[in-house]
Amino acid sequence: MGLPVKIPECRVERPNGVRSLLACLPERLHDSGGFALAMAVFALVLLAAIVAGGYFSASQEYLIGRGMRSTTQSFYAGEAGLREVLEDWDPLIYNAMQPGDSVTVGPFTLDGGASYSASVVRVGSAADSLKRYFYIEAAGRISGPNRGERRQAVVVRTSYTDICCDGAVKVVNNVTFGGGAQPIISGYNNDPPGIWPASACAGIPGDSTPGVIHGPTGIVNDYSRVEGNPAVVADGGLTSANLFDFGDLTYDDLVAMANHEFVGDLTFNNTTASTVGGKCNRSDPLNWGAPQNPGSPCFDYFPIIHVTHDLYLTGAGAAQGILLVDNDLYISGPFEFYGIALVKDDLDMGGPVDVYGGMYVRDDVWFNGATPRFWLSRCASERAERLSKISRPRLLSNRAWVDLF
């Protein structure tokens, strides 16, 4: 058993009489040298951790921001792709597709470097020839490596609105003929003779109609100048208010679709359709198709033309399409027109003139001279409908768009 160790009693007292335990500790324990260095090292480590954390956070924010920017740009590139497919819709290609057929569009580069590619797939039933459904999917990408893409899709429907043809000429009021004896309004169906190939009119029915349909108070001053099945029909329900009602399509709807609008009077006698790079130049407001040249890229171009006042078709010209005339339409020859015309006031024709298609006139029709001719042509009218913006697809009213990823 060891001997007890005797610890000397500490007798150091503070001035207030309280003994200090610290004063009893060995002298070396009072030495604080080197503590500042340890604190400095700890502070540096803490500061480095804060800087590293801030840098990591900033880099993550940068990557998130760049990702969001890339995603947004890709999204709008895809959106632009969908819109451009619809804007550049070619009825000759898409309307001929069968269910399950697909067409690839692009890739195309947009301003700024972003790009898109798209595919168009016809869905639905082959038996439904008047309403055709299409699924359009577009992938948008931005320039640079490893930037990803965004995909979105729409479902659209094309419909062939039946504008033509109840009759060759449908007029609310009167039809007045000048001199001459031969019929110059025919409701018997006529394909444009010797100009259009048979393939242009293939599959289009050839039913005949009345030559003239007029409102309940209208008058035709010379029935011998009209032929059809029957020649003339008085429609007791035809009024100025409903002349231009075509189901879910109105005159104002057609105006909104117009390729070109002319404010005020317009005189047109163009005979040459313009092309750019071997393609029909549809941006030219005076390019109204090439009805006399089946080999032209503009032969299948039927613009919708809106004139806010009087329209004069004159000279040795030719045009095709859909005319929307807010006032009077004057046609004097030699001029040829193929398509449909909607006239809010009077139609005045003086020969020699040939018009193939269908005509709607809200007021009166005047034929001056012996040779102006108006031929019902379902081929010209239906081509004008199917190859113009009328047949451009529209988004379905419910759930037409989806963001895929």
Side-chain angles (χ1 to χ4, degrees):
M1 183 173 181
L3 297 176
V5 179
K6 184 177 181 180
I7 300 176
E9 183 178 358
C10 183
R11 299 293 183 179
V12 179
E13 294 184 359
R14 291 185 179 179
N16 57 6
V18 180
R19 292 182 178 181
S20 173
L21 296 179
L22 293 177
C24 301
L25 297 176
E27 185 67 23
R28 60 187 178 86
L29 296 179
H30 288 273
D31 186 7
S32 59
F35 179 76
L37 177 61
M39 290 299 295
V41 171
F42 177 76
L44 289 175
V45 171
L46 181 62
L47 181 61
I50 293 174
V51 171
Y55 176 79
F56 177 78
S57 177
S59 65
Q60 292 301 304
E61 290 288 342
Y62 168 76
L63 293 175
I64 292 172
R66 189 179 72 170
M68 290 294 295
R69 180 184 178 188
S70 299
T71 298
T72 301
Q73 289 180 329
S74 299
F75 174 84
Y76 285 111
E79 178 78 8
L82 292 177
R83 297 299 175 183
E84 290 201 5
V85 169
L86 294 176
E87 182 67 23
D88 297 334
W89 190 264
D90 189 340
L92 286 176
I93 296 176
Y94 299 119
N95 292 356
M97 295 170 61
Q98 298 300 313
D101 290 349
S102 63
V103 173
T104 300
V105 180
F108 293 111
T109 301
L110 304 168
D111 294 340
S115 63
Y116 74 87
S117 58
S119 63
V120 181
V121 182
R122 185 183 169 190
V123 296
S125 170
D128 189 357
S129 60
L130 297 181
K131 294 181 180 180
R132 304 188 178 198
Y133 295 86
F134 297 87
Y135 171 83
I136 306 173
E137 181 178 316
R141 306 175 185 85
I142 64 172
S143 59
N146 303 322
R147 294 299 179 90
E149 66 180 26
R150 284 284 296 275
R151 291 179 174 270
Q152 49 196 297
V154 293
V155 178
V156 298
R157 186 189 76 180
T158 64
S159 60
Y160 299 147
T161 301
D162 190 14
I163 294 180
C164 183
C165 299
D166 296 332
V169 175
K170 196 169 184 177
V171 55
V172 174
N173 293 325
N174 305 321
V175 177
T176 302
F177 296 95
Q182 80 278 16
I184 60 176
I185 297 180
S186 177
Y188 298 128
N189 183 62
N190 291 269
D191 294 338
I195 301 175
W196 291 8
S199 59
C201 301
I204 298 176
D207 300 340
S208 297
T209 70
V212 172
I213 299 176
H214 61 76
T217 62
I219 297 174
V220 177
N221 76 326
D222 187 349
Y223 276 55
S224 68
R225 311 294 301 278
V226 184
E227 62 183 13
N229 185 25
V232 178
V233 170
D235 184 348
L238 182 61
T239 67
S240 298
N242 62 25
L243 175 66
F244 300 137
D245 289 342
F246 308 104
D248 59 351
L249 197 66
T250 67
Y251 186 91
D252 291 339
D253 293 330
L254 293 171
V255 168
M257 298 178 190
N259 296 83
H260 302 291
E261 180 178 76
F262 298 88
V263 178
D265 294 343
L266 173 67
T267 298
F268 179 86
N269 54 15
N270 185 39
T271 58
T272 304
S274 61
T275 60
V276 175
K279 296 183 178 181
C280 185
N281 181 15
R282 302 189 178 200
S283 64
D284 182 355
L286 295 180
N287 177 7
W288 294 13
Q292 296 176 323
N293 184 6
S296 168
C298 294
F299 178 67
D300 295 315
Y301 173 49
F302 285 77
I304 300 177
I305 305 297
H306 177 219
V307 180
T308 64
H309 204 255
D310 294 339
L311 171 61
Y312 298 83
L313 303 179
T314 66
Q320 64 185 12
I322 297 177
L323 303 179
L324 309 173
V325 184
D326 288 354
N327 203 36
D328 296 333
L329 172 59
Y330 299 89
I331 308 178
S332 59
F335 195 92
E336 295 184 5
F337 177 73
Y338 303 79
I340 302 171
L342 280 63
V343 184
K344 280 194 168 184
D345 205 339
D346 294 339
L347 167 65
D348 191 322
M349 292 179 62
V353 169
D354 282 292
V355 175
Y356 290 87
M359 186 77 68
Y360 295 79
V361 182
R362 182 170 280 179
D363 201 350
D364 298 312
V365 175
W366 304 84
F367 284 88
N368 299 308
T371 56
R373 295 174 294 270
F374 197 103
W375 312 92
L376 168 76
S377 177
R378 291 188 178 277
C379 177
S381 297
E382 292 208 16
R383 275 172 57 81
E385 291 182 36
R386 298 189 180 193
L387 298 179
S388 70
K389 282 188 174 182
I390 291 178
S391 66
R392 178 169 294 175
R394 299 168 179 82
L395 297 178
L396 298 185
S397 58
N398 294 316
R399 299 184 180 181
W401 176 88
V402 62
D403 186 10
L404 297 176
F405 54 84

